[in-house]
Amino acid sequence: MAAKPSIPKGTRDFSPVEMAKRNYIFNTIRDVYHLYGFQQIETPSMEMLSTLMGKYGDEGDKLLFKIQNSGDYFSGITDEELLSRNAVKLASKFCEKGLRYDLTVPFARYVVMHRDEITFPFKRYQIQPVWRADRPQKGRYREFYQCDADVVGSDSLLNEVELMQIVDTVFSRFNIRVCIKINNRKILSGIAEIIGESDKIVDITVAIDKLDKIGLDNVNAELKEKGISDEAIAKLQPIILLSGTNTEKLATLKNVLSASEVGLKGVEESEFILNTLETMGLKNEIELDLTLARGLNYYTGAIFEVKALDVQIGSITGGGRYDNLTGVFGMAGVSGVGISFGADRIFDVLNQLELYPKEAVNGTELLFINFGEKEAAFSMGILSKVRAAGIRAEIFPDAAKMKKQMSYANTKNIPFVAIVGENEMNEGKAMLKNMETGEQNLVSAEELIAVVKK
Protein backbone atom coordinates (compact mmCIF):
# COMPACT_ATOMS: atom_id res chain seq x y z
CA MET A 1 0.00 0.00 0.00
CA ALA A 2 1.39 3.41 -1.00
CA ALA A 3 2.42 5.68 1.85
CA LYS A 4 -0.01 8.50 2.57
CA PRO A 5 1.37 11.75 1.11
CA SER A 6 2.25 14.62 3.45
CA ILE A 7 3.53 18.20 3.33
CA PRO A 8 6.51 19.68 5.22
CA LYS A 9 5.85 20.84 8.79
CA GLY A 10 5.10 24.54 8.99
CA THR A 11 3.39 24.62 5.57
CA ARG A 12 -0.32 24.38 4.71
CA ASP A 13 -2.76 23.58 1.93
CA PHE A 14 -5.61 26.07 1.42
CA SER A 15 -9.11 25.07 0.34
CA PRO A 16 -11.25 27.19 -2.04
CA VAL A 17 -13.02 28.78 0.97
CA GLU A 18 -9.69 29.53 2.64
CA MET A 19 -8.31 31.00 -0.58
CA ALA A 20 -11.37 33.27 -0.83
CA LYS A 21 -10.59 34.48 2.71
CA ARG A 22 -6.91 34.98 1.90
CA ASN A 23 -7.71 36.92 -1.26
CA TYR A 24 -10.01 39.15 0.81
CA ILE A 25 -6.98 39.93 3.01
CA PHE A 26 -4.61 40.53 0.09
CA ASN A 27 -7.14 42.65 -1.83
CA THR A 28 -7.97 44.80 1.22
CA ILE A 29 -4.28 45.51 1.90
CA ARG A 30 -3.58 46.07 -1.83
CA ASP A 31 -6.47 48.58 -2.09
CA VAL A 32 -5.16 50.60 0.87
CA TYR A 33 -1.61 50.59 -0.53
CA HIS A 34 -2.95 51.97 -3.81
CA LEU A 35 -4.77 54.74 -1.89
CA TYR A 36 -1.39 55.95 -0.64
CA GLY A 37 0.38 55.83 -4.01
CA PHE A 38 2.35 52.58 -3.67
CA GLN A 39 3.23 50.51 -6.76
CA GLN A 40 3.65 46.74 -6.90
CA ILE A 41 6.84 44.80 -7.72
CA GLU A 42 7.85 41.13 -7.38
CA THR A 43 11.25 39.53 -6.77
CA PRO A 44 12.37 35.87 -7.17
CA SER A 45 11.62 33.29 -4.47
CA MET A 46 15.33 32.54 -4.24
CA GLU A 47 18.19 34.97 -3.85
CA MET A 48 21.96 34.53 -3.81
CA LEU A 49 23.03 33.62 -0.27
CA SER A 50 25.55 36.46 -0.48
CA THR A 51 22.52 38.78 -0.71
CA LEU A 52 20.78 37.27 2.34
CA MET A 53 23.55 36.32 4.77
CA GLY A 54 24.53 38.83 7.45
CA LYS A 55 21.40 40.98 7.09
CA TYR A 56 19.29 39.42 9.87
CA GLY A 57 21.82 38.84 12.65
CA ASP A 58 23.23 35.48 13.72
CA GLU A 59 19.80 34.15 14.73
CA GLY A 60 18.26 35.11 11.40
CA ASP A 61 21.13 33.57 9.40
CA LYS A 62 20.41 30.22 11.09
CA LEU A 63 16.82 30.35 9.84
CA LEU A 64 17.67 30.70 6.15
CA PHE A 65 16.59 27.81 3.94
CA LYS A 66 19.60 27.05 1.74
CA ILE A 67 19.22 25.52 -1.74
CA GLN A 68 21.66 22.79 -2.72
CA ASN A 69 23.62 23.49 -5.91
CA SER A 70 22.71 21.39 -8.92
CA GLY A 71 25.33 19.28 -10.68
CA ASP A 72 28.48 17.93 -9.03
CA TYR A 73 28.55 19.98 -5.83
CA PHE A 74 31.40 17.80 -4.46
CA SER A 75 33.84 19.20 -7.00
CA GLY A 76 36.29 21.58 -5.38
CA ILE A 77 35.76 20.08 -1.91
CA THR A 78 38.67 18.20 -0.35
CA ASP A 79 38.32 14.91 1.56
CA GLU A 80 39.58 16.76 4.61
CA GLU A 81 36.72 19.26 4.39
CA LEU A 82 34.18 16.45 3.99
CA LEU A 83 35.55 14.51 6.95
CA SER A 84 35.55 17.66 9.11
CA ARG A 85 31.71 17.46 9.13
CA ASN A 86 31.63 21.24 9.54
CA ALA A 87 28.00 21.85 8.52
CA VAL A 88 28.31 25.64 8.15
CA LYS A 89 31.46 25.47 6.06
CA LEU A 90 30.14 22.65 3.86
CA ALA A 91 26.81 24.44 3.34
CA SER A 92 28.73 27.45 2.01
CA LYS A 93 30.33 25.15 -0.59
CA PHE A 94 27.17 23.17 -1.44
CA CYS A 95 24.77 26.11 -1.57
CA GLU A 96 24.96 29.42 -3.42
CA LYS A 97 21.26 30.29 -3.21
CA GLY A 98 18.60 30.46 -0.51
CA LEU A 99 14.86 31.08 -0.17
CA ARG A 100 14.12 34.67 0.81
CA TYR A 101 13.68 35.26 4.56
CA ASP A 102 11.73 38.49 4.14
CA LEU A 103 10.87 40.97 1.38
CA THR A 104 12.93 43.92 2.64
CA VAL A 105 16.45 42.68 1.82
CA PRO A 106 15.40 41.53 -1.70
CA PHE A 107 13.79 44.96 -2.12
CA ALA A 108 17.07 46.69 -1.16
CA ARG A 109 18.85 44.49 -3.71
CA TYR A 110 16.19 45.41 -6.31
CA VAL A 111 16.67 49.15 -5.65
CA VAL A 112 20.44 48.89 -6.14
CA MET A 113 20.13 46.82 -9.32
CA HIS A 114 17.43 49.04 -10.86
CA ARG A 115 18.55 52.43 -9.54
CA ASP A 116 18.67 53.95 -13.05
CA GLU A 117 15.02 53.04 -13.72
CA ILE A 118 13.61 54.22 -10.38
CA THR A 119 12.20 57.66 -9.53
CA PHE A 120 12.87 58.58 -5.89
CA PRO A 121 11.21 58.60 -3.44
CA PHE A 122 10.19 55.11 -4.54
CA LYS A 123 7.01 53.75 -2.94
CA ARG A 124 6.67 50.01 -3.56
CA TYR A 125 4.54 47.23 -2.20
CA GLN A 126 5.08 43.50 -2.50
CA ILE A 127 2.77 40.59 -1.59
CA GLN A 128 4.71 37.31 -1.79
CA PRO A 129 5.64 34.25 0.31
CA VAL A 130 8.79 34.06 2.45
CA TRP A 131 10.46 31.08 4.16
CA ARG A 132 12.10 30.58 7.56
CA ALA A 133 13.59 27.37 8.97
CA ASP A 134 11.87 28.07 12.28
CA ARG A 135 10.24 25.64 14.73
CA PRO A 136 6.58 25.48 13.64
CA GLN A 137 4.01 26.42 16.28
CA LYS A 138 0.66 28.20 16.55
CA GLY A 139 0.84 31.37 14.46
CA ARG A 140 4.39 30.61 13.28
CA TYR A 141 4.95 28.91 9.94
CA ARG A 142 7.93 27.99 7.77
CA GLU A 143 6.21 29.30 4.66
CA PHE A 144 4.05 32.39 4.96
CA TYR A 145 3.06 35.51 3.07
CA GLN A 146 4.17 39.05 3.81
CA CYS A 147 2.49 42.15 2.48
CA ASP A 148 5.19 44.85 2.53
CA ALA A 149 5.13 48.55 1.76
CA ASP A 150 8.36 50.57 1.74
CA VAL A 151 9.43 54.10 0.85
CA VAL A 152 13.09 54.61 -0.08
CA GLY A 153 14.92 57.78 -0.98
CA SER A 154 13.29 60.05 1.63
CA ASP A 155 14.27 60.92 5.22
CA SER A 156 10.92 62.59 5.99
CA LEU A 157 9.06 61.36 9.06
CA LEU A 158 5.81 61.94 7.14
CA ASN A 159 6.52 58.52 5.63
CA GLU A 160 6.33 56.96 9.11
CA VAL A 161 3.11 58.87 9.78
CA GLU A 162 1.49 57.63 6.55
CA LEU A 163 2.56 54.03 7.19
CA MET A 164 0.84 54.17 10.59
CA GLN A 165 -2.27 55.58 8.87
CA ILE A 166 -2.14 52.63 6.45
CA VAL A 167 -1.96 50.20 9.39
CA ASP A 168 -4.91 51.91 11.08
CA THR A 169 -6.97 51.93 7.84
CA VAL A 170 -6.29 48.25 7.03
CA PHE A 171 -7.26 46.97 10.48
CA SER A 172 -10.30 49.26 10.60
CA ARG A 173 -11.45 47.69 7.31
CA PHE A 174 -10.91 44.24 8.82
CA ASN A 175 -12.78 45.30 12.01
CA ILE A 176 -9.83 44.00 14.07
CA ARG A 177 -9.09 46.03 17.20
CA VAL A 178 -5.33 46.53 17.50
CA CYS A 179 -2.70 48.37 19.48
CA ILE A 180 -0.01 49.96 17.29
CA LYS A 181 3.26 49.94 19.24
CA ILE A 182 6.05 52.35 18.31
CA ASN A 183 9.61 52.82 19.52
CA ASN A 184 12.91 54.11 18.09
CA ARG A 185 16.26 52.35 17.81
CA LYS A 186 17.96 55.68 18.58
CA ILE A 187 16.18 55.67 21.97
CA LEU A 188 17.46 52.14 22.58
CA SER A 189 20.99 53.20 21.55
CA GLY A 190 20.73 56.12 23.98
CA ILE A 191 19.66 53.77 26.77
CA ALA A 192 22.63 51.46 26.03
CA GLU A 193 24.88 54.54 26.11
CA ILE A 194 23.72 55.88 29.47
CA ILE A 195 23.97 52.47 31.18
CA GLY A 196 27.54 52.18 29.86
CA GLU A 197 26.97 49.29 27.42
CA SER A 198 26.98 50.99 23.98
CA ASP A 199 28.89 48.12 22.37
CA LYS A 200 26.20 45.67 23.50
CA ILE A 201 23.26 47.41 21.77
CA VAL A 202 22.45 44.36 19.59
CA ASP A 203 22.49 41.97 22.57
CA ILE A 204 20.32 44.36 24.59
CA THR A 205 17.72 44.85 21.82
CA VAL A 206 17.52 41.11 20.98
CA ALA A 207 16.95 40.31 24.67
CA ILE A 208 14.36 42.98 25.55
CA ASP A 209 12.46 42.25 22.33
CA LYS A 210 11.60 38.90 23.99
CA LEU A 211 10.06 40.49 27.12
CA ASP A 212 6.47 39.58 26.15
CA LYS A 213 7.46 35.99 25.32
CA ILE A 214 9.87 34.99 28.12
CA GLY A 215 9.29 37.51 30.93
CA LEU A 216 11.57 39.99 32.73
CA ASP A 217 13.58 37.44 34.76
CA ASN A 218 14.57 35.49 31.66
CA VAL A 219 15.42 38.70 29.78
CA ASN A 220 17.70 39.74 32.64
CA ALA A 221 19.30 36.28 32.66
CA GLU A 222 19.96 36.54 28.92
CA LEU A 223 21.46 40.02 29.34
CA LYS A 224 23.79 38.70 32.07
CA GLU A 225 24.73 35.73 29.86
CA LYS A 226 25.74 38.23 27.13
CA GLY A 227 28.24 39.85 29.52
CA ILE A 228 26.20 42.91 30.52
CA SER A 229 27.04 44.00 34.08
CA ASP A 230 24.62 43.69 37.02
CA GLU A 231 24.84 47.47 37.47
CA ALA A 232 23.82 48.11 33.84
CA ILE A 233 20.96 45.57 34.09
CA ALA A 234 19.72 47.31 37.27
CA LYS A 235 19.76 50.70 35.48
CA LEU A 236 17.79 49.16 32.60
CA GLN A 237 14.84 47.96 34.71
CA PRO A 238 12.90 51.23 35.29
CA ILE A 239 13.44 52.25 31.65
CA ILE A 240 12.04 49.12 30.01
CA LEU A 241 9.15 48.98 32.50
CA LEU A 242 8.25 52.68 32.00
CA SER A 243 4.48 53.33 32.16
CA GLY A 244 2.05 56.24 31.68
CA THR A 245 0.69 58.08 28.65
CA ASN A 246 2.81 58.59 25.55
CA THR A 247 3.34 62.24 26.56
CA GLU A 248 4.45 61.23 30.08
CA LYS A 249 6.84 58.59 28.72
CA LEU A 250 8.40 61.09 26.32
CA ALA A 251 8.83 63.65 29.09
CA THR A 252 10.55 61.07 31.34
CA LEU A 253 12.81 59.95 28.49
CA LYS A 254 13.91 63.53 27.80
CA ASN A 255 15.23 63.67 31.36
CA VAL A 256 16.68 60.15 31.46
CA LEU A 257 18.45 60.56 28.10
CA SER A 258 19.51 64.19 28.54
CA ALA A 259 23.19 63.18 28.29
CA SER A 260 22.70 61.16 25.08
CA GLU A 261 22.51 63.06 21.81
CA VAL A 262 21.38 60.00 19.83
CA GLY A 263 18.79 59.11 22.50
CA LEU A 264 17.27 62.62 22.41
CA LYS A 265 17.11 62.45 18.60
CA GLY A 266 15.03 59.27 18.92
CA VAL A 267 12.71 60.96 21.43
CA GLU A 268 12.30 63.93 19.05
CA GLU A 269 11.42 61.66 16.11
CA SER A 270 8.93 59.66 18.19
CA GLU A 271 7.33 62.87 19.47
CA PHE A 272 6.82 64.18 15.92
CA ILE A 273 5.24 60.91 14.73
CA LEU A 274 2.93 60.59 17.76
CA ASN A 275 1.89 64.26 17.80
CA THR A 276 1.14 64.28 14.06
CA LEU A 277 -0.90 61.07 14.30
CA GLU A 278 -2.88 62.55 17.19
CA THR A 279 -4.32 65.12 14.76
CA MET A 280 -5.25 62.39 12.21
CA GLY A 281 -8.01 60.78 14.25
CA LEU A 282 -6.74 57.18 14.23
CA LYS A 283 -9.36 54.58 15.10
CA ASN A 284 -6.87 52.35 16.92
CA GLU A 285 -4.66 52.95 19.95
CA ILE A 286 -1.00 53.88 19.38
CA GLU A 287 1.47 53.34 22.22
CA LEU A 288 5.13 54.22 22.80
CA ASP A 289 6.58 50.91 24.05
CA LEU A 290 10.23 50.88 25.11
CA THR A 291 10.34 47.07 25.23
CA LEU A 292 9.76 46.99 21.48
CA ALA A 293 13.15 46.35 19.88
CA ARG A 294 12.49 44.29 16.73
CA GLY A 295 15.65 42.20 16.81
CA LEU A 296 16.70 42.79 13.21
CA ASN A 297 20.03 44.56 12.88
CA TYR A 298 19.11 46.82 9.99
CA TYR A 299 16.63 49.13 11.79
CA THR A 300 18.07 52.53 12.67
CA GLY A 301 15.12 54.78 13.56
CA ALA A 302 11.40 54.37 14.24
CA ILE A 303 10.19 50.78 14.72
CA PHE A 304 6.60 49.51 14.77
CA GLU A 305 4.66 46.43 15.80
CA VAL A 306 0.92 45.71 15.85
CA LYS A 307 -0.84 43.46 18.37
CA ALA A 308 -4.42 42.20 18.07
CA LEU A 309 -6.38 43.05 21.22
CA ASP A 310 -9.00 40.28 21.10
CA VAL A 311 -6.84 37.25 20.16
CA GLN A 312 -3.74 35.76 21.79
CA ILE A 313 -1.22 35.74 18.94
CA GLY A 314 2.17 37.29 18.14
CA SER A 315 2.58 40.56 16.28
CA ILE A 316 0.49 40.77 13.10
CA THR A 317 2.35 43.70 11.51
CA GLY A 318 5.83 45.12 12.00
CA GLY A 319 8.41 47.39 10.43
CA GLY A 320 10.68 50.36 10.83
CA ARG A 321 13.24 52.82 9.46
CA TYR A 322 16.50 51.54 7.96
CA ASP A 323 18.96 54.25 6.98
CA ASN A 324 21.74 52.13 5.51
CA LEU A 325 20.32 48.87 4.15
CA THR A 326 21.20 49.55 0.50
CA GLY A 327 24.73 50.52 1.60
CA VAL A 328 25.67 46.84 1.96
CA PHE A 329 24.97 46.48 -1.77
CA GLY A 330 27.21 49.42 -2.71
CA MET A 331 24.59 52.19 -2.74
CA ALA A 332 25.11 54.42 0.30
CA GLY A 333 22.91 57.26 1.49
CA VAL A 334 19.48 55.82 0.60
CA SER A 335 17.14 55.89 3.58
CA GLY A 336 14.07 53.72 3.74
CA VAL A 337 11.12 52.88 5.97
CA GLY A 338 8.62 50.08 5.65
CA ILE A 339 5.94 47.89 7.17
CA SER A 340 4.96 44.27 6.68
CA PHE A 341 1.51 42.78 7.29
CA GLY A 342 1.66 39.13 8.38
CA ALA A 343 -1.15 37.79 6.17
CA ASP A 344 -1.13 34.31 7.74
CA ARG A 345 -1.57 35.62 11.27
CA ILE A 346 -4.26 38.07 10.11
CA PHE A 347 -5.98 35.06 8.48
CA ASP A 348 -5.96 33.25 11.85
CA VAL A 349 -7.25 36.33 13.72
CA LEU A 350 -10.13 36.89 11.25
CA ASN A 351 -11.02 33.19 11.53
CA GLN A 352 -11.05 33.20 15.33
CA LEU A 353 -13.14 36.37 15.49
CA GLU A 354 -15.38 35.32 12.52
CA LEU A 355 -14.94 38.72 10.89
CA TYR A 356 -15.05 37.76 7.20
CA PRO A 357 -17.84 39.55 5.30
CA LYS A 358 -20.27 37.06 3.76
CA GLU A 359 -19.70 38.39 0.24
CA ALA A 360 -15.92 37.93 0.60
CA VAL A 361 -16.09 34.15 1.07
CA ASN A 362 -19.06 33.28 -1.12
CA GLY A 363 -18.13 31.80 -4.48
CA THR A 364 -20.88 30.90 -6.95
CA GLU A 365 -24.05 32.96 -6.52
CA LEU A 366 -26.32 30.99 -8.85
CA LEU A 367 -26.49 27.36 -10.00
CA PHE A 368 -28.54 26.14 -12.97
CA ILE A 369 -29.92 22.63 -12.52
CA ASN A 370 -29.27 20.32 -15.49
CA PHE A 371 -32.23 18.14 -16.59
CA GLY A 372 -30.83 17.15 -19.99
CA GLU A 373 -29.55 18.44 -23.34
CA LYS A 374 -32.52 20.67 -24.28
CA GLU A 375 -32.86 22.18 -20.83
CA ALA A 376 -29.09 22.71 -20.55
CA ALA A 377 -28.96 24.45 -23.95
CA PHE A 378 -31.81 26.80 -22.90
CA SER A 379 -30.12 27.46 -19.52
CA MET A 380 -26.82 28.30 -21.22
CA GLY A 381 -28.51 31.21 -23.01
CA ILE A 382 -29.68 32.71 -19.72
CA LEU A 383 -26.33 31.85 -18.12
CA SER A 384 -24.47 34.03 -20.65
CA LYS A 385 -26.67 37.04 -19.76
CA VAL A 386 -26.24 36.36 -16.05
CA ARG A 387 -22.43 36.27 -16.30
CA ALA A 388 -22.42 39.38 -18.51
CA ALA A 389 -24.21 41.13 -15.63
CA GLY A 390 -21.30 40.23 -13.32
CA ILE A 391 -23.03 37.41 -11.42
CA ARG A 392 -20.87 34.39 -10.54
CA ALA A 393 -22.86 31.48 -11.97
CA GLU A 394 -22.47 27.90 -13.17
CA ILE A 395 -24.49 25.01 -14.57
CA PHE A 396 -24.21 21.48 -13.18
CA PRO A 397 -22.33 19.67 -15.97
CA ASP A 398 -24.21 16.35 -15.79
CA ALA A 399 -27.92 15.55 -15.93
CA ALA A 400 -27.71 13.92 -12.49
CA LYS A 401 -30.49 13.31 -9.99
CA MET A 402 -32.07 16.49 -8.61
CA LYS A 403 -31.06 15.53 -5.06
CA LYS A 404 -27.38 15.32 -6.02
CA GLN A 405 -27.46 18.71 -7.75
CA MET A 406 -29.23 20.42 -4.83
CA SER A 407 -26.74 18.82 -2.42
CA TYR A 408 -23.94 20.31 -4.55
CA ALA A 409 -25.54 23.77 -4.18
CA ASN A 410 -25.84 23.34 -0.40
CA THR A 411 -22.26 22.13 0.02
CA LYS A 412 -20.93 25.14 -1.92
CA ASN A 413 -23.27 27.56 -0.07
CA ILE A 414 -24.77 28.75 -3.36
CA PRO A 415 -27.62 31.12 -2.40
CA PHE A 416 -29.77 30.74 -5.56
CA VAL A 417 -30.70 27.83 -7.81
CA ALA A 418 -32.35 28.18 -11.24
CA ILE A 419 -34.58 25.29 -12.31
CA VAL A 420 -35.43 25.00 -15.99
CA GLY A 421 -37.79 22.22 -17.12
CA GLU A 422 -40.20 21.88 -20.05
CA ASN A 423 -42.83 24.26 -18.54
CA GLU A 424 -40.23 26.96 -17.85
CA MET A 425 -38.82 26.68 -21.40
CA ASN A 426 -42.32 27.03 -22.89
CA GLU A 427 -42.70 30.34 -21.04
CA GLY A 428 -39.10 31.46 -21.79
CA LYS A 429 -38.40 31.76 -18.06
CA ALA A 430 -36.71 29.98 -15.15
CA MET A 431 -37.85 28.96 -11.66
CA LEU A 432 -35.57 30.78 -9.22
CA LYS A 433 -35.20 29.24 -5.76
CA ASN A 434 -33.80 31.15 -2.78
CA MET A 435 -31.85 28.43 -0.93
CA GLU A 436 -32.00 30.27 2.38
CA THR A 437 -35.76 30.96 2.52
CA GLY A 438 -36.97 28.17 0.20
CA GLU A 439 -39.04 30.72 -1.76
CA GLN A 440 -39.52 29.97 -5.50
CA ASN A 441 -40.60 32.33 -8.29
CA LEU A 442 -40.96 32.02 -12.06
CA VAL A 443 -38.86 34.85 -13.51
CA SER A 444 -37.49 36.17 -16.81
CA ALA A 445 -33.72 36.44 -17.33
CA GLU A 446 -33.86 40.17 -16.49
CA GLU A 447 -35.90 39.56 -13.31
CA LEU A 448 -33.55 36.74 -12.28
CA ILE A 449 -30.53 39.06 -12.63
CA ALA A 450 -32.24 41.78 -10.58
CA VAL A 451 -33.15 39.37 -7.74
CA VAL A 452 -29.70 37.74 -7.48
CA LYS A 453 -27.90 41.11 -7.67
CA LYS A 454 -30.14 42.53 -4.95
Side-chain angles (χ1 to χ4, degrees):
M1 185 177 173
K4 189 179 177 183
S6 63
I7 59 174
K9 284 184 179 178
T11 65
R12 295 173 290 173
D13 287 324
F14 294 102
S15 68
V17 170
E18 288 170 325
M19 279 310 303
K21 291 178 176 181
R22 286 168 70 79
N23 285 330
Y24 164 67
I25 294 169
F26 296 143
N27 292 338
T28 300
I29 293 169
R30 187 180 285 111
D31 288 348
V32 176
Y33 283 161
H34 285 161
L35 277 180
Y36 285 78
F38 287 79
Q39 296 177 296
Q40 187 171 17
I41 67 163
E42 287 196 351
T43 59
S45 299
M46 58 180 143
E47 295 275 350
M48 301 305 292
L49 277 177
S50 56
T51 297
L52 301 174
M53 294 290 285
K55 311 305 187 302
Y56 308 106
D58 290 341
E59 291 190 16
D61 281 354
K62 291 172 189 171
L63 300 181
L64 288 172
F65 274 112
K66 299 173 179 67
I67 300 170
Q68 189 172 281
N69 296 339
S70 54
D72 183 9
Y73 47 81
F74 281 106
S75 64
I77 297 176
T78 65
D79 289 346
E80 187 182 347
E81 285 173 324
L82 281 171
L83 291 170
S84 74
R85 301 174 70 87
N86 185 325
V88 175
K89 194 172 181 181
L90 286 172
S92 69
K93 300 273 182 120
F94 288 164
C95 310
E96 293 175 348
K97 297 174 284 292
L99 295 177
R100 60 171 173 251
Y101 177 95
D102 71 354
L103 298 177
T104 308
V105 170
F107 172 53
R109 190 265 312 148
Y110 175 94
V111 170
V112 174
M113 284 185 67
H114 298 270
R115 67 181 92 183
D116 295 334
E117 308 153 31
I118 291 172
T119 301
F120 294 101
F122 182 41
K123 301 171 78 170
R124 88 79 168 88
Y125 77 88
Q126 208 169 334
I127 299 176
Q128 288 186 276
V130 299
W131 294 268
R132 295 183 186 178
D134 216 341
R135 186 170 65 85
Q137 54 187 289
K138 183 178 171 59
R140 190 183 289 272
Y141 306 101
R142 284 176 171 165
E143 178 186 61
F144 55 97
Y145 267 75
Q146 287 185 339
C147 308
D148 283 20
D150 288 79
V151 186
V152 294
S154 169
D155 296 321
S156 172
L157 291 172
L158 288 179
N159 296 312
E160 278 86 338
V161 169
E162 286 209 330
L163 289 172
M164 293 305 92
Q165 287 180 282
I166 286 172
V167 168
D168 185 63
T169 304
V170 165
F171 287 111
S172 296
R173 290 191 179 192
F174 286 143
N175 288 316
I176 296 174
R177 293 192 320 119
V178 298
C179 177
I180 304 167
K181 293 176 178 285
I182 180 173
N183 197 9
N184 197 297
R185 288 298 285 257
K186 293 185 180 80
I187 291 176
L188 295 170
S189 295
I191 291 168
E193 189 182 316
I194 63 159
I195 65 171
E197 298 282 2
S198 290
D199 58 329
K200 296 284 179 69
I201 178 64
V202 173
D203 291 331
I204 292 169
T205 54
V206 167
I208 68 172
D209 196 37
K210 298 175 184 173
L211 188 70
D212 282 353
K213 303 180 191 82
I214 64 175
L216 186 61
D217 290 344
N218 287 321
V219 167
N220 289 337
E222 186 171 320
L223 289 168
K224 191 166 185 176
E225 195 181 297
K226 295 292 184 182
I228 293 160
S229 70
D230 290 338
E231 185 186 354
I233 292 171
K235 285 181 183 175
L236 200 54
Q237 303 310 292
I239 299 169
I240 61 175
L241 296 174
L242 191 64
S243 59
T245 65
N246 291 335
T247 304
E248 288 166 347
K249 288 176 185 175
L250 289 167
T252 302
L253 284 171
K254 282 178 186 175
N255 288 328
V256 171
L257 299 174
S258 59
S260 169
E261 188 181 338
V262 69
L264 288 177
K265 180 67 175 167
V267 174
E268 182 190 318
E269 289 178 3
S270 301
E271 191 168 37
F272 175 85
I273 294 165
L274 290 166
N275 287 349
T276 308
L277 286 169
E278 205 169 300
T279 67
M280 299 292 163
L282 296 189
K283 293 183 173 68
N284 290 285
E285 176 191 357
I286 185 158
E287 176 196 346
L288 178 65
D289 182 357
L290 295 187
T291 68
L292 173 61
R294 295 201 57 78
L296 299 181
N297 288 343
Y298 54 66
Y299 290 124
T300 54
I303 44 179
F304 323 107
E305 207 158 87
V306 179
K307 300 276 187 176
L309 296 177
D310 301 316
V311 171
Q312 283 292 106
I313 198 166
S315 68
I316 53 179
T317 299
R321 165 74 63 173
Y322 44 90
D323 279 342
N324 50 18
L325 190 61
T326 55
V328 299
F329 299 121
M331 186 178 175
V334 179
S335 184
V337 60
I339 53 170
S340 179
F341 288 94
D344 294 84
R345 287 187 177 182
I346 293 170
F347 176 85
D348 290 344
V349 171
L350 289 170
N351 270 339
Q352 286 185 56
L353 299 177
E354 298 181 348
L355 289 174
Y356 288 100
K358 195 173 178 183
E359 62 273 15
V361 295
N362 280 356
T364 302
E365 298 167 278
L366 172 66
L367 173 71
F368 281 82
I369 299 295
N370 186 341
F371 287 122
E373 282 186 31
K374 287 182 187 174
E375 293 87 350
F378 181 89
S379 297
M380 291 293 284
I382 303 176
L383 191 55
S384 295
K385 293 179 183 176
V386 165
R387 287 174 175 152
I391 293 169
R392 301 185 298 276
E394 59 182 293
I395 184 168
F396 200 85
D398 306 303
K401 289 182 179 177
M402 179 81 159
K403 184 180 179 182
K404 181 178 180 179
Q405 298 188 51
M406 295 300 277
S407 174
Y408 176 84
N410 281 323
T411 303
K412 288 189 70 176
N413 291 315
I414 299 172
F416 291 97
V417 166
I419 302 164
V420 176
E422 196 171 328
N423 292 338
E424 287 80 13
M425 285 196 296
N426 289 338
E427 295 202 37
K429 295 186 176 182
M431 185 67 71
L432 184 66
K433 179 173 184 176
N434 183 316
M435 295 294 281
E436 196 173 326
T437 65
E439 184 185 350
Q440 293 188 175
N441 290 296
L442 190 65
V443 293
S444 66
E446 290 71 25
E447 290 167 332
L448 181 150
I449 289 166
V451 171
V452 176
K453 278 204 144 186
K454 187 178 175 183

